[in-house]
Amino acid sequence: MQREGGRRPRGGGHDEESVESVLDELYATPPSGFVARREEHAAAARTAGRDEDARRIHAAHRPTLAAWASNLLRRSRPEESRRFLELGQALREAHRTLDANGLKELSAQRRHIVSALSRQAAQLAREAGHPLSPAAQREVESTLRAVLADPEAADRWAGGRLEGSLTPPSRFPSAAAPAEPAPRERPRPDTRRRAPAVRAKDELAERRRERREELARAERAAEKATRRLSDRRAEAADADASLRRADEEHDRAREEVTAAEQRLRRAHQELDRAGREQREAEERGRTAADALARAEREARESAREVDRLAGRVGRSGPPD
């Protein structure tokens, strides 16, 4: 079974490596940009004719903020993460052999390490512009505790592609409920009298194990449903944002058209006013030309009258 967050065997050449690198990039992307980036990559794969790659990319679920911060911690602190995974392996082995006092000391060390790493994850998220709420930071701590307690959870976190936070298994011993120490050597009782009690105890343990498994399955199903709901909400939010942007663009275009129409009306008004002024100026010019022509005629007639009178005076001679 392929683990969540793990890598498939690379047998597909360049295209398979491309899909893995795309998935790595997606799970390093903050949740707010995950869906848009995923659809970009899926569309590019479909355009290139890589339908199976597009299907794998499109099937990727957007991580919660806490899961993204856990992935960010794994990728940004590789050496510390490697040591943390090794510590988890050692702790799981120790829980099978240590006594109650040793387990209590290890539990205190485990709490200190988980707290320190969860603070680092919160700092990385804050530096990336996505600070964690107290609830999200508690989810990161839960994931880190699960990594220490459960090898499957450790494998999932090691892949760097968590979609949701992890829950520590109930069977992991704690300081409050340490593993039962090995019993001292005692005289062996009559096994025939103990057999029914042993069988009853085994049956009770089996029923408890089955209930824990049912609870774990229900929790996984609820987690998947929560992720699907989160994806649908993110897609709806993206669609709403696109609609708002389209409405804003439409309103801006409408305003620009209205402004252009107003400028056009003012230009027509200016043209009409200039036309009127031109006609009035032409009319004034014609009036002035007519007045000038009349004045010139009157001047010529006055000059002729002066000449005529002067001629009559000359013919009549000087006065006595």
Side-chain angles (χ1 to χ4, degrees), residues 217-254:
R217 285 194 295 270
E219 288 175 344
R220 288 194 293 271
E223 185 178 338
K224 288 181 181 178
T226 300
R227 289 198 298 269
R228 286 194 296 270
L229 176 61
S230 177
D231 275 355
R232 299 295 86 78
R233 284 176 174 170
E235 289 168 1
D238 290 343
D240 287 342
S242 298
L243 178 60
R244 284 195 299 273
R245 288 195 295 270
D247 287 342
E248 290 170 358
E249 290 293 334
H250 181 267
D251 291 342
R252 280 197 294 271
R254 184 191 296 275

Side-chain angles (χ1 to χ4, degrees), residues 64-83:
T64 64
L65 189 61
W68 168 77
S70 300
N71 293 334
L72 186 63
L73 175 67
R74 172 70 181 95
R75 295 177 185 279
S76 302
R77 299 288 189 271
E79 187 60 27
E80 293 178 26
S81 298
R82 182 186 63 78
R83 290 198 297 269

